[in-house]
Amino acid sequence: MSQSKVYMVLSLVVICLISAFALAQVYTLTKAKIEQAKIEAVMNALSQVLPNAISFEEKESSRVWFGYDKNGNKVGIVFQVMPRGYGGPIGTLVGVDSTGKITGLRIASPAEGLKETAGLGLRVREDWFRNQFINKTKNELRLKKDGGTIDAITAATISSRAVTNGVREGLERYKKYWSNDSTSPNE
Amino acid sequence: MIQLRQMNKKSSRLKYLTNGIILENPTLILMIGLCPTLATSITVRDGLGMAAAASFVIIGSNVVASLLRRLIPATVRIPIFIIIISTFVTLVDYILQAYEPGLYQVLGVFVPLIVVNCIVLGRVEAFAYKHNVLDSMLDGMGKSLGFTLVLFVMGTIREVLGSGTFWGRPVTPAWFRQYPILLMILPPGAFILIGILKALLNKLMKPGS
């Protein structure tokens, strides 16, 4: 009886050890690749919104990145804002050049945690909506019904307004980064 | 006589493989593994990604559990099965993160949840623990094929009707893609569709009724 109990415990211990060993091996093998994939995903997203930049430097963790061209000149910044939409925060990456013009907008996918309603608020991800922001400056960034230039999505005003206002507020908040004044050497 | 018995054995072997596809289809007949089926069949690609990940775990756990079946004490067999299964799931998790980060993001929480996919533990407990390695592998493959088939059919119908695309490519007129049947990509659409599929299958399997 006691022997079978010992065997019971022993078999569990052995199987746990084998499993842990196998997983440790695979973890070491894939670790570098996983890190690389994560960095690539971020870089892809950044270059989508700031196409002129070929390298990026993280300025504020997961919030602000500086973009540089191939000669190492700063061509603009990318910042992330999380305006509150209808279902939750809308993760929005915004690219800005040094004159304060928007160069691109990327909105997180539902898989990345976007909670907007499919067919309504989720349509903020559509190209026509996002492309309205390109080349616009701060004062133009309001919905048309709020006196600006951005067409809202039919029946999804809350989400449209959240994104538009979020981008505008982000431009204001991170002005010290995108405007040329900040590149002074005593920064 | 011996030859006949061998023949019988061969055909029953084949049955382990083919049973899982329709007759003992895990999702539509045994009605297990429904949660990942409903949740990851929004597009064909996601569905097949889930099916591939789950298949790897089903077949792997079946083989290992069958290999160790004489060494595993009956009293603690379930914890041991869970350790084997979660090892395979963690392997899939690492591999997807490293080589298919896009798919990993879409499948999200459903990758770790393969651990509690009833198909996996169900097959290990009901089949692999009592059969040899080859049979267990065939059974795992059969059940995986059945699961994959359902995810493929559901993914195709839901993606075409709900988004107007197949594997991400447009297959319907532009006006349809503008106003697709949204219900199909929402959770209620998945429930309705699996009900319809189950009803159709019941009708096909019992033509008289």
Side-chain angles (χ1 to χ4, degrees):
Chain A
M1 191 61 200
S2 78
Q3 209 179 4
S4 79
K5 271 184 188 155
V6 170
Y7 181 68
M8 192 174 90
V9 174
L10 204 66
S11 65
L12 269 170
V13 170
V14 168
I15 201 108
C16 284
L17 284 177
I18 296 172
S19 155
F21 179 76
L23 287 180
Q25 292 301 310
V26 177
Y27 178 73
T28 3
L29 282 175
T30 51
K31 193 173 171 235
K33 189 86 188 152
I34 290 172
E35 291 297 315
Q36 197 193 335
K38 278 186 185 156
I39 292 170
E40 263 171 34
V42 172
M43 286 299 148
N44 263 334
L46 293 178
S47 49
Q48 262 176 45
V49 296
L50 193 62
N52 286 336
I54 57 153
S55 68
F56 293 90
E57 179 202 352
E58 198 167 27
K59 200 68 191 172
E60 280 183 25
S61 178
S62 300
R63 273 209 301 249
V64 182
W65 295 262
F66 283 7
Y68 300 94
D69 67 8
K70 63 175 187 292
N71 300 320
N73 297 320
K74 190 174 148 200
V75 291
I77 71 156
V78 178
F79 63 82
Q80 188 178 39
V81 284
M82 305 286 267
R84 229 174 61 170
Y86 191 75
I90 304 177
T92 313
L93 272 185
V94 187
V96 194
D97 69 10
S98 51
T99 62
K101 274 186 186 159
I102 305 283
T103 55
L105 209 64
R106 181 187 183 276
I107 301 202
S109 64
E112 292 164 319
L114 186 65
K115 294 270 196 316
E116 297 306 290
T117 321
L120 296 170
L122 196 57
R123 293 180 63 203
V124 294
R125 303 196 65 222
E126 288 180 3
D127 289 346
W128 71 264
F129 181 77
R130 290 182 300 113
N131 289 342
Q132 293 185 88
F133 290 79
I134 292 175
N135 282 331
K136 298 249 165 93
T137 52
K138 201 183 88 196
N139 293 329
E140 297 167 284
L141 290 176
R142 281 175 200 280
L143 295 185
K144 275 187 180 158
K145 57 178 85 168
D146 297 340
T149 60
I150 306 289
D151 275 315
I153 293 155
T154 316
T157 310
I158 293 179
S159 311
S160 318
R161 187 175 282 143
V163 172
T164 314
N165 292 353
V167 173
R168 192 183 63 244
E169 283 156 21
L171 267 181
E172 184 63 41
R173 192 181 318 148
Y174 298 119
K175 187 169 185 181
K176 60 172 180 192
Y177 289 127
W178 55 259
S179 66
N180 279 326
D181 316 340
S182 68
T183 48
S184 57
N186 57 3
E187 191 207 6
Chain B
M1 196 62 193
I2 292 167
Q3 214 173 9
L4 196 71
R5 196 172 287 165
Q6 271 173 343
M7 286 268 289
N8 267 338
K9 196 146 195 192
K10 236 182 203 166
S11 73
S12 77
R13 278 248 158 92
L14 200 65
K15 261 202 176 134
Y16 290 144
L17 181 67
T18 53
N19 266 352
I21 302 173
I22 301 287
L23 285 176
E24 283 178 22
N25 185 296
T27 328
L28 288 177
I29 304 294
L30 306 179
M31 301 306 275
I32 51 178
L34 287 175
C35 181
T37 309
L38 298 174
T40 63
S41 59
I42 293 175
T43 66
V44 180
R45 191 172 181 271
D46 300 351
L48 288 186
M50 181 70 210
S55 301
F56 175 78
V57 176
I58 295 170
I59 298 169
S61 321
N62 255 12
V63 167
V64 172
S66 169
L67 268 174
L68 300 175
R69 72 186 185 283
R70 292 192 206 291
L71 300 173
I72 298 174
T75 40
V76 289
R77 64 182 193 284
I78 302 286
I80 289 181
F81 293 158
I82 294 288
I83 294 165
I84 296 171
I85 293 167
S86 50
T87 306
F88 276 102
V89 171
T90 317
L91 287 182
V92 170
D93 196 281
Y94 287 155
I95 293 168
L96 278 182
Q97 271 191 69
Y99 298 101
E100 283 287 338
L103 183 64
Y104 180 77
Q105 208 172 41
V106 172
L107 296 180
V109 73
F110 288 98
V111 177
L113 279 182
I114 298 175
V115 174
V116 288
N117 184 324
C118 309
I119 301 175
V120 189
L121 186 60
R123 291 333 287 170
V124 169
E125 162 76 3
F127 196 95
Y129 193 54
K130 297 166 194 146
H131 291 80
N132 67 35
V133 177
L134 182 64
D135 292 353
S136 300
M137 195 176 75
L138 289 174
D139 179 75
M141 286 161 72
K143 294 298 181 286
S144 302
L145 279 174
F147 186 55
T148 309
L149 182 71
V150 174
L151 272 166
F152 178 75
V153 172
M154 298 251 314
T156 306
I157 297 174
R158 291 183 70 191
E159 191 180 346
V160 170
L161 295 181
S163 315
T165 56
F166 179 80
W167 206 277
R169 286 201 202 99
V171 289
T172 52
W175 61 263
F176 185 81
R177 264 175 287 133
Q178 195 74 38
Y179 300 101
I181 307 168
L182 267 182
L183 179 69
M184 291 316 287
I185 57 173
L186 298 175
F191 277 104
I192 293 169
L193 182 62
I194 202 156
I196 294 173
L197 289 181
K198 171 77 181 154
L200 279 177
L201 196 63
N202 281 0
K203 183 82 192 156
L204 285 175
M205 287 175 75
K206 291 175 233 151
S209 60

